[in-house]
Amino acid sequence: MHHFHYREGELCCEDVGIRAIAEEVGTPFYLYSRATLTRHFRAFDEAFAGTPHLLCYSAKANSGMAVIKTLADLGCGLDIVSGGELYRGLAAGVTPQKIVYSGVGKTAGEIDFALTKGILQFNVESFDELAVIDARARELGKTAPVALRVNPDVDPKTHPYISTGLKKNKFGIAKEYALDFYRKAASLGNIKPTGVTFHIGSQITQTGPFVEAVQSMAPIVAALRESGLSIQYLDVGGGLGISYDNEAPPLPGEYAAAIRQAMAGIDLTVIAEPGRAIVGNAGILVTRVLYEKEGPAKKFLVVDAGMNDLLRPSIYGAYHAVWPVRKTEGEITADVVGPICESGDFLAKDRKMAAARPGDLLAVMSAGAYGMSMSSNYNSRPRAAEIMVSENRFVVVRQRETYEDLVRGESAFS
Ligand code: LLP
């Protein structure tokens, strides 16, 4: 569900015509609907109503301050994977006690930052990391709350690059070592075990893998209780998919119901870390057609956004629908490509789409998650502007980068 729709043939975000925004701010730009973000947060929150829970939006999906602040104002917490995301979260007003910190490679400096701010939980991915967190906490006179990230060896049935809960993946610690981990954790002076966590992958379109993962936590929680250790949180990670094309992923209510059912006997507070399902369909990328090019093999539409703006089609072969900003007559089949000097620079391939000509605006749909957050300056392209709409108002929430921004901090060798 989202708030991008046509009114008299013109694509609008909530009550704002997208063409007017393009005229004012230029292209390309990311555009977010605040109402969609709010709606998605509420859908998750209501889905878990009746079960003690905390939603920690996964900042990596879109770490824009406006997105994080919109969610924080609704009471949402944050799942972070770097000092930078912690900084952004705090700056956007997220309560430290609602922040969980995941990731396999936290540095001592990042750990210190999180300890000093008093975050809710470190989701720990290795014995080495546990030792460093303990040492840093001792140094700072703190106790670090930790959850073990268990690798449950569950196949999430998604793209291999975004599968994370299989034995062969770098994430978490195998179930077999879980009890050793907690024993070790409990024996360390500056560690307090608070939870157990997993994250099996992303863009998961069925409930089965989540159920399997939750069920595999039950024996661990039971064994901990038996050995006199108690924990408070079951963090089920993120991963719920969205509809890019014709996928039909479970709704938040179905997802939450499946998790609750699988938790039978595990009376822990649930933490969930949705990213894509909150922001994916709340954002689009708006780009303008520069040129039309009819090759011997196919037709190309060259647009002013490229793989540096939206990397997903290039690296995952991901599908993003392309809609005309003003409805047109007729249909074409074309590759929608960017200006970057790589053949992998495409936003859509062999796509049957509404006819479009140079000067027309196109909306690349479902680009709110892992769009701007994975963008780069490749080919020395300034990063796109970001706009947020609420009802009939739009705000530039991130200025388009300038050429001066591109070279900031650089100097010639001398
Ligand atoms: N929690 C942890 C520990 C994660 O690693 C992730 C995503 C999430 C939560 C949020 O997952 P979500 O609800 O968004 O599926 N760049 C890829 C996706 C990478 C996901 C990485 N981890 C893409 O564009 O599809």
Side-chain angles (χ1 to χ4, degrees), residues 58 60-61 79 102 149 162 199 201-203 237-240 273-276 312 316 370 374:
S58 192
K60 64 177 80 65
D79 159 50
S102 315
R149 176 162 174 184
I162 52 175
H199 170 77
S202 200
Q203 184 54 13
L240 184 62
E273 306 170 356
R276 191 190 312 266
R312 303 192 70 258
Y316 312 120
Y370 307 107
M374 290 175 74

Side-chain angles (χ1 to χ4, degrees), residues 38-62:
T38 302
R39 186 189 166 106
H40 289 171
F41 170 79
R42 294 220 167 106
F44 269 95
D45 204 35
E46 282 158 22
F48 280 107
T51 303
H53 69 277
L54 173 66
L55 293 177
C56 293
Y57 163 68
S58 192
K60 64 177 80 65
N62 186 316

Side-chain angles (χ1 to χ4, degrees), residues 112 115-116 133-144 189-191:
D112 284 3
L115 282 169
T116 314
I133 294 176
D134 179 56
R136 295 317 308 160
R138 193 171 327 114
E139 180 75 23
L140 297 173
K142 308 258 181 206
T143 299
N190 294 74
I191 295 285

Side-chain angles (χ1 to χ4, degrees), residues 13 33 37 138 263 278 297 344 350 381 396:
C13 175
S33 153
L37 280 175
R138 193 171 327 114
M263 277 179 71
I278 299 275
D350 298 319
R381 287 169 48 79
V396 178

Side-chain angles (χ1 to χ4, degrees), residues 346-389:
F346 59 89
L347 300 176
K349 259 215 146 116
D350 298 319
R351 183 65 59 83
K352 219 183 213 176
M353 55 186 278
R357 301 204 25 82
D360 288 353
L361 293 168
L362 299 179
V364 183
M365 304 305 291
S366 315
Y370 307 107
M372 187 65 177
S373 64
M374 290 175 74
S375 68
S376 78
N377 292 122
Y378 188 38
N379 277 203
S380 283
R381 287 169 48 79
R383 261 175 299 183
E386 290 181 290
I387 318 295
M388 186 174 275
V389 164

Side-chain angles (χ1 to χ4, degrees), residues 65-379:
M65 298 274 285
V67 169
I68 298 178
K69 172 94 169 60
T70 299
L71 296 169
D73 285 351
L74 297 167
C76 193
L78 206 62
D79 159 50
I80 59 163
V81 288
S82 69
E85 287 185 352
L86 176 55
Y87 182 84
R88 282 177 171 279
L90 295 172
V94 181
T95 316
Q97 262 300 300
K98 289 185 179 173
I99 296 180
V100 294
Y101 190 171
S102 315
V104 293
K106 306 174 188 78
T107 65
E110 289 176 317
I111 291 166
D112 284 3
F113 184 18
L115 282 169
T116 314
K117 295 299 172 189
I119 64 163
L120 180 64
Q121 182 168 284
F122 289 86
N123 290 351
V124 177
E125 308 235 10
S126 66
F127 281 85
D128 277 7
E129 184 195 333
L130 181 65
V132 172
I133 294 176
D134 179 56
R136 295 317 308 160
R138 193 171 327 114
E139 180 75 23
L140 297 173
K142 308 258 181 206
T143 299
V146 305
L148 163 64
R149 176 162 174 184
V150 176
N151 182 326
D153 197 26
V154 166
D155 184 357
K157 302 192 175 72
T158 182
H159 191 287
Y161 288 7
I162 52 175
S163 291
T164 48
L166 287 166
K167 259 191 197 141
K168 62 179 181 189
N169 299 133
K170 69 177 175 181
F171 298 97
I173 296 179
K175 291 182 276 200
E176 301 85 279
Y177 305 132
L179 290 185
D180 284 351
F181 178 92
Y182 285 103
R183 263 185 226 119
K184 175 91 188 153
S187 75
L188 294 172
N190 294 74
I191 295 285
K192 180 178 184 313
T194 47
V196 59
T197 177
F198 63 82
H199 170 77
I200 53 176
S202 200
Q203 184 54 13
I204 299 170
T205 52
Q206 37 194 304
T207 52
F210 295 111
V211 167
E212 226 184 293
V214 170
Q215 284 169 344
S216 71
M217 299 297 121
I220 298 172
V221 176
L224 283 177
R225 293 242 160 91
E226 243 167 65
S227 65
L229 275 173
S230 70
I231 54 169
Q232 205 180 336
Y233 300 108
L234 172 66
D235 178 343
V236 298
L240 184 62
I242 63 169
S243 178
Y244 285 99
D245 188 4
N246 47 21
E247 307 90 328
L251 296 169
E254 294 163 327
Y255 161 80
I259 286 178
R260 279 206 301 244
Q261 205 177 345
M263 277 179 71
I266 314 180
D267 58 342
L268 298 176
T269 297
V270 178
I271 296 176
E273 306 170 356
R276 191 190 312 266
I278 299 275
V279 75
N281 281 326
I284 65 173
L285 173 64
V286 179
T287 181
R288 198 179 282 280
V289 181
L290 296 173
Y291 305 109
E292 190 175 30
K293 186 164 149 171
E294 197 76 59
K298 51 167 94 181
K299 185 187 193 72
F300 295 98
L301 286 180
V302 184
V303 299
D304 65 2
M307 67 190 284
N308 74 297
D309 298 299
L310 180 63
L311 189 57
R312 303 192 70 258
S314 304
I315 62 170
Y316 312 120
Y319 176 97
H320 286 265
V322 178
W323 291 6
V325 167
R326 187 213 281 273
K327 274 194 177 163
T328 51
E329 295 289 321
E331 223 180 36
I332 55 169
T333 300
D335 280 14
V336 180
V337 301
I340 302 263
C341 300
E342 301 224 14
S343 292
D345 177 28
F346 59 89
L347 300 176
K349 259 215 146 116
D350 298 319
R351 183 65 59 83
K352 219 183 213 176
M353 55 186 278
R357 301 204 25 82
D360 288 353
L361 293 168
L362 299 179
V364 183
M365 304 305 291
S366 315
Y370 307 107
M372 187 65 177
S373 64
M374 290 175 74
S375 68
S376 78
N377 292 122
Y378 188 38
N379 277 203

